[in-house]
Amino acid sequence: MVGVPGRSKGCHTCRRRKIKCDLGEPHCQRCIKSNKQCEGYAKLPVFLNRTAQGLVRRAPLEEAVITKGRDSPSGQSSKSKDDEEDSSLVEAFQLMPRTIDNSRAYINKLEGEFCRLYVPSDFAPGANPPGAYVASVISGMTPSQRGMALDFAARALWMSRLGRLQNQKSLLVQAELAYGAALRYLQEALYNTQLAAKDKTFAAASILSVYELYESTVKSVKGHDNHISGLVRLLQWRGKKNVCKTLLGQRLMELTRWDAMVASIQYRKRSVLGDLEWRGDSWITITDIEQRLYDRGFDVGAMLEDTDSLSKMAGNQDLPPGEAIAQRMTAMEKVIKQITDLDDSLETWHEKFQTWYQAPVYWKERPEPTKGKSHVRIITFPNLRLCHMLLDFWALHIIVGTVMATLFARLPTQVQSSPNLRPFSKRVERHDHAYVVSLADLIIDGAQYSLREEMGLVGPHRSIFGVRVALFCFRVMPGEHAARQRMRCEEFMRTLTLERGIQFARDVSGGADASENSPEYKYEAFNNAVGESAYKT
């Protein structure tokens, strides 16, 4: 049972002394005459049910009163504005269930433990590993520097991760409360034009998207996607010039572009972050090869949208048959050129990638034999960053190849054999069944690298995209090899869900128990690109 206990209206001092209070305002005369400090009449909630279920039920009933400063009997405080902001943050967090020590030293210890577990350890000192911005926000900024939204967002993330790893329900409950508080303060910040333009507001929204990736609060991919669409709109509102003024803003923009790229492909729609203003090719001070790969990914999303438009054009009955065919062939030639250029640009990127990193970028190895288990191929990379880039490249290449083969298979036979399409037909032959299978094999073999302990909690995040593409390829391909690799992909997703606590992996793969009619199963980003592939037959 939870509530404000006791029926007495006396001050706290008289109630504790078990004497009658004269109810004087602002301080009772009995305390003043006996030279005692009157502690006032405000009643704070007392949690009588200390179980996790009780704390969750208590959250909607939160009606705690924040007491005024005690510098004078009137409650007026002489604190500075910065002190008041920091104090309000401490007071607000103290309203949460006190199931852990809320002292600053203890919180710093937990934050440091989270950062150690979150960031990969395979990077040289001074490098910028994946997840470094989260660690810099959590361990490198004070609560007053972070502000309310960012501080609660950071608390929600590290509390939820440590709670899962240590099986502490109290931390998980506090993480949920911190997540709700972060959303409220973020909403307030977004309604304030000055706060909305600050990097700490952008960082709060970004960290909340990571929290949603892990916890999946709405039990669907829609929750995470809503966070990403909000980040894109915030970026668009601020503009690239303003975002790139600081290193943190620039890094946050780069990470958001990857999420937006994946969303562009899964929804088969163009993204504003794929426009010329935001493309890596237009950056003067940045020559990041990752961003140039994301540019190719945005081109894939645009290509899928145009391919869908081509399919809709086939059902248009408003035009005469001859004119409709001519219009469709013109659009078909445009899409074929678009796919051809995209395939060339991916190959060009790979050549530049090899020039940029003048050393072997991956090598195959076999793990030590395990009793009762078969040997599984594993690909090793120099570091996690290269692993993520190559998994993305192979996945994009699979999508382009499957769309290319599907489009060519739908052409009439006489059109396929025409001289104008001979270069395209040879290109399709290079992207045959064996080639696509080899790329999908590389993805599932390489994704195992991201599960290593030294890759940290952030390691498997970016592997989900590639494994998801490989999974849907193997689902539609016949043969024992495809069935075996499909099981490896599904096992990878289950490992992320059950052992790493990434609920998003369960949502995007449809889950082990999802039916073909469930929303998550239908939410296959590459259903049309791969599921209708010519390789299916």
Side-chain angles (χ1 to χ4, degrees):
M1 181 178 179
V2 186
V4 180
R7 297 182 179 179
S8 173
K9 297 181 180 180
C11 70
H12 293 299
T13 306
C14 291
R15 291 177 60 194
R16 186 166 55 253
R17 297 175 63 198
K18 297 183 179 180
I19 61 176
K20 186 175 181 180
C21 181
D22 61 18
L23 305 179
E25 293 286 351
H27 306 286
C28 78
Q29 294 300 313
R30 184 179 290 273
C31 290
I32 294 176
K33 290 179 180 179
S34 59
N35 200 24
K36 302 288 184 182
Q37 181 181 0
C38 182
E39 298 177 3
Y41 303 93
K43 295 183 179 180
L44 299 180
V46 175
F47 297 90
L48 304 180
N49 183 355
R50 301 301 296 176
T51 65
Q53 293 83 356
L55 297 178
V56 172
R57 293 175 182 175
R58 175 66 189 126
L61 305 177
E62 193 68 66
E63 297 176 355
V65 178
I66 300 179
T67 58
K68 298 179 181 179
R70 296 182 180 177
D71 295 356
S72 64
S74 63
Q76 296 180 352
S77 175
S78 59
K79 295 181 180 180
S80 66
K81 183 176 181 181
D82 292 338
D83 291 337
E84 289 177 356
E85 182 180 359
D86 188 58
S87 176
S88 63
L89 178 61
V90 174
E91 289 174 335
F93 187 72
Q94 286 175 345
L95 299 181
M96 296 183 178
R98 298 183 182 181
T99 53
I100 64 170
D101 183 0
N102 279 331
S103 66
R104 189 70 247 173
Y106 186 68
I107 289 179
N108 288 342
K109 179 181 178 181
L110 293 179
E111 290 176 345
E113 177 66 11
F114 166 78
C115 293
R116 184 185 68 82
L117 296 172
Y118 189 76
V119 180
S121 60
D122 69 330
F123 279 77
N128 186 27
Y133 88 96
V134 174
S136 65
V137 166
I138 292 179
S139 62
M141 300 173 67
T142 64
S144 58
Q145 290 174 328
R146 290 194 288 254
M148 302 292 278
L150 180 54
D151 190 71
F152 276 110
R155 288 173 184 262
L157 180 59
W158 67 256
M159 283 180 172
S160 65
R161 292 303 86 214
L162 293 180
R164 297 289 182 194
L165 293 174
Q166 301 172 5
N167 196 25
Q168 291 191 28
K169 292 184 178 180
S170 59
L171 276 177
L172 294 176
V173 170
Q174 292 192 79
E176 292 180 5
L177 295 175
Y179 177 73
L183 289 176
R184 292 194 298 272
Y185 285 116
L186 179 60
Q187 185 178 26
E188 294 176 4
L190 292 176
Y191 278 109
N192 185 314
T193 54
Q194 292 183 342
L195 289 178
K198 292 184 176 297
D199 287 342
K200 63 182 182 181
T201 301
F202 189 18
S206 180
I207 290 180
L208 287 178
S209 71
V210 178
Y211 175 90
E212 187 67 39
L213 186 81
Y214 278 112
E215 297 299 315
S216 186
T217 57
V218 296
K219 309 301 179 187
S220 170
V221 294
K222 295 297 184 182
H224 180 260
D225 291 345
N226 288 338
H227 279 286
I228 300 305
S229 62
L231 283 169
V232 172
R233 288 195 295 270
L234 183 58
L235 270 179
Q236 187 179 9
W237 176 76
R238 290 185 60 181
K240 187 180 72 174
K241 183 178 180 181
N242 292 326
V243 173
C244 291
K245 286 181 178 179
T246 64
L247 182 61
L248 176 61
Q250 177 182 304
R251 184 57 179 157
L252 289 170
M253 182 194 67
E254 293 171 356
L255 295 172
T256 303
R257 287 193 81 228
W258 183 84
D259 287 313
M261 177 200 74
V262 175
S264 173
I265 295 173
Q266 67 189 17
Y267 288 114
R268 308 169 69 86
K269 296 289 184 182
R270 283 176 169 82
S271 172
V272 65
L273 297 189
D275 293 345
L276 182 61
E277 176 191 0
W278 298 94
R279 296 180 75 87
D281 294 335
S282 66
W283 297 354
I284 299 176
T285 59
I286 304 174
T287 56
D288 193 340
I289 196 164
E290 278 185 278
Q291 296 301 312
R292 300 182 189 277
L293 178 61
Y294 302 164
D295 294 340
R296 308 289 86 79
F298 284 115
D299 291 340
V300 171
M303 178 265 295
L304 292 174
E305 181 179 3
D306 292 342
T307 303
D308 291 343
S309 300
L310 191 63
S311 300
K312 295 176 182 178
M313 191 180 299
N316 188 357
Q317 305 295 333
D318 298 334
L319 297 175
E323 185 176 346
I325 294 176
Q327 187 183 55
R328 176 173 167 77
M329 290 305 301
T330 301
M332 180 81 73
E333 292 175 358
K334 180 180 178 181
V335 172
I336 288 176
K337 185 180 185 305
Q338 183 181 12
I339 297 175
T340 301
D341 293 342
L342 181 52
D343 187 43
D344 290 338
S345 67
L346 283 172
E347 293 293 347
T348 301
W349 178 90
H350 191 249
E351 293 174 0
K352 292 181 178 179
F353 173 78
Q354 292 177 319
T355 304
W356 169 74
Y357 195 84
Q358 298 178 350
V361 291
Y362 71 90
W363 53 91
K364 297 181 180 181
E365 64 178 32
R366 282 181 176 270
E368 294 296 328
T370 304
K371 186 176 180 180
K373 294 185 178 180
S374 59
H375 294 282
V376 177
R377 292 180 305 174
I378 293 179
I379 291 178
T380 300
F381 303 86
N383 58 55
L384 185 61
R385 185 187 184 197
L386 295 179
C387 169
H388 287 160
M389 279 195 285
L390 284 175
L391 292 182
D392 292 343
F393 169 73
W394 292 329
L396 294 176
H397 222 41
I398 287 177
I399 298 172
V400 172
T402 52
V403 172
M404 192 184 305
T406 303
L407 187 62
F408 186 77
R410 290 177 178 175
L411 293 174
T413 306
Q414 62 273 22
V415 176
Q416 291 181 358
S417 58
S418 64
N420 293 336
L421 284 181
R422 192 165 298 162
F424 185 69
S425 64
K426 290 182 178 180
R427 190 181 296 267
V428 171
E429 291 175 0
R430 292 199 301 270
H431 292 77
D432 60 1
H433 179 276
Y435 181 69
V436 172
V437 169
S438 66
L439 292 178
D441 287 341
L442 286 173
I443 289 176
I444 189 56
D445 293 344
Q448 309 301 322
Y449 174 82
S450 67
L451 290 177
R452 294 182 177 182
E453 185 176 353
E454 60 267 26
M455 298 302 111
L457 297 175
V458 74
H461 287 187
R462 290 262 303 270
S463 302
I464 296 176
F465 170 67
V467 175
R468 187 179 176 191
V469 176
L471 172 60
F472 294 133
C473 280
F474 291 130
R475 278 181 174 173
V476 300
M477 290 180 177
E480 294 183 2
H481 176 77
R484 186 165 54 251
Q485 295 294 72
R486 174 181 58 81
M487 292 177 63
R488 288 185 64 196
C489 293
E490 293 172 347
E491 180 62 28
F492 180 87
M493 293 297 195
R494 279 193 293 268
T495 299
L496 296 191
T497 303
L498 301 178
E499 298 182 13
R500 302 302 177 92
I502 305 178
Q503 304 305 314
F504 186 77
R506 174 204 62 199
D507 296 337
V508 298
S509 61
D513 301 325
S515 65
E516 294 189 4
N517 295 322
S518 65
E520 280 69 28
Y521 190 91
K522 289 183 177 181
Y523 188 78
E524 297 181 355
F526 319 103
N527 188 39
N528 293 329
V530 179
E532 297 180 6
S533 167
Y535 305 130
K536 188 172 182 179
T537 56

